[in-house]
Amino acid sequence: MTTVLVTGGAGYIGSHTCKLLARTGRLPVAFDDLSNGHADAVRWGPLEVGNIEDSRRLREVIAAWRPEAVIHFAGLIEVGRSVEDPAAFYRTNVTGSLALLEEMGAAGVRRIVFSSSASVYGVPPASPVSEDAPLDPVSPYGETKRAVEAMLDAFARAHGARHAALRYFNAAGADPEGELGERHDPETHLVPRALRAALGLESHIAIFGTDYPTPDGTAIRDYVHVSDLAAAHLAALDYLVAGGDPVTVNIGAGRGHSVRQVLDAVRRITGRPFAERPAPRRTGDPPELVAATGRAARLLGWTPRLSDLDSIVETAWAWHARHDAPEA
Ligand code: UDP
């Protein structure tokens, strides 16, 4: 059995990916400091508790498990917090990734799948946005993702290491078998927040911006199901194991939905009404962010299967109704 080291394996996308790795005959070793991840989400392989900035700990874990590849999810993700505390983001996302790459290099582990983000595009000049669009992040979070992409390119040129950088659009939904779901604290994402409002845990949902130049005035995003994202990581891993060259690809559904369309889907699927209130735009939120997905299909053979809005909301609802609902 081959072993894959999954940093951030106790997190939202990481845990879904570990489940799929195990399903396809690999041993996922989750490396997570549990600052945001959950130990009980690590169920398909061992958990090694550690922080990616801790080179000694990384060295120990890599030596113990000798992984054939690393899938690197660990990092800070809240865009707003990155504006307030950029140092934390540079430390964890950039210094941490550097430590990981150095330890991988020292141990001869030469394949890495990296969690990048559509935030590297900033406010894209065109939609759908292709991988060749200029990179112009508008938050320290996006800057850290761009910096790690550049670092991966430099390491590939200098040492022949191979990477796949996956630029995620909006991850959403939950494991269709109900074993895993989204658990962020604080929760900033649209779908889980709308579901909390549907459950009566919030008095209303704020719509950040109702004056965008879009058909209903609210921002358009490309929501991609977390199980499809997990499958994209496996496709990237297979691509690298087959000797593929370093690659950077968008991972999205290739279709956009406005905030209002998402809220309407949540009301329809849950059958529970909830209030919405217009609120100011969030700084740096582009009007529209939708992936051009041709490269992922062409190079990785990956296409989304569960990323229609109804499947996303239905699987997320099943999870949140069970895990967030107040005790009866
Ligand atoms: N959004 C909103 N209200 C919320 C949370 C998000 O209107 O309570 C909007 C946000 O401004 C963006 C979209 O929903 O246009 C998706 O936001 P999310 O935070 O889920 O992901 P992001 O696009 O920031 O990665």
Side-chain angles (χ1 to χ4, degrees), residues 33-305:
D33 70 357
L34 302 178
S35 57
N36 292 301
H38 304 273
D40 63 11
V42 181
R43 297 164 49 182
W44 292 275
L47 169 63
E48 292 281 10
V49 177
N51 183 295
I52 49 168
E53 290 161 66
D54 184 347
S55 300
R56 246 183 44 200
R57 182 77 185 115
L58 279 171
R59 198 171 312 151
E60 218 171 75
V61 169
I62 292 172
W65 293 102
R66 309 230 125 263
E68 73 161 358
V70 174
I71 304 185
H72 176 33
F73 294 100
L76 299 180
I77 61 161
E78 292 159 50
V79 176
R81 226 192 107 205
S82 81
V83 177
E84 290 152 23
D85 187 5
F89 279 68
Y90 278 91
R91 217 179 292 124
T92 302
N93 294 5
V94 180
T95 312
S97 296
L98 175 59
L100 175 63
L101 284 180
E102 288 193 295
E103 292 309 323
M104 285 174 60
V109 181
R110 300 165 66 77
R111 303 180 188 104
I112 180 168
V113 182
F114 170 61
S115 304
S116 189
S117 159
S119 65
V120 296
Y121 298 118
V123 180
S127 182
V129 60
S130 88
E131 292 86 350
D132 300 322
L135 303 189
D136 191 14
V138 292
S139 67
Y141 168 74
E143 289 288 2
T144 64
K145 293 295 176 184
R146 173 164 74 171
V148 176
E149 283 192 7
M151 206 152 73
L152 289 168
D153 283 337
F155 273 62
R157 273 192 295 274
H159 310 300
R162 286 163 188 265
H163 62 268
L166 306 187
R167 292 180 179 157
Y168 311 157
F169 284 65
N170 287 63
D175 172 35
E177 291 164 4
E179 293 186 294
L180 295 165
E182 193 166 5
R183 280 190 278 168
H184 293 124
D185 185 21
E187 187 52 77
T188 61
H189 294 117
L190 179 63
V191 173
R193 274 172 86 149
L195 290 168
R196 288 180 63 77
L199 283 166
L201 298 169
E202 312 288 342
S203 61
H204 68 281
I205 182 147
I207 301 185
F208 300 138
T210 52
D211 58 351
Y212 281 107
T214 58
D216 68 15
T218 65
I220 292 175
R221 293 287 179 278
D222 180 329
Y223 297 89
V224 54
H225 195 284
V226 64
S227 297
D228 282 338
L229 266 176
H233 290 78
L234 266 83
L237 192 62
D238 288 342
Y239 167 89
L240 293 176
V241 170
D245 285 330
V247 71
T248 299
V249 289
N250 287 340
I251 303 293
R255 217 176 25 243
H257 297 287
S258 73
V259 172
R260 283 216 167 94
Q261 286 174 324
V262 172
L263 299 185
D264 286 345
V266 169
R267 289 192 183 95
R268 178 168 47 76
I269 285 162
T270 64
R272 304 197 184 191
F274 56 88
E276 61 187 48
R277 289 197 200 143
R281 294 181 182 191
R282 285 191 314 202
T283 321
D285 264 0
E288 177 166 338
L289 202 50
V290 175
T293 56
R295 192 186 286 182
R298 206 168 53 250
L299 293 184
L300 306 183
W302 174 86
T303 49
R305 292 169 193 284

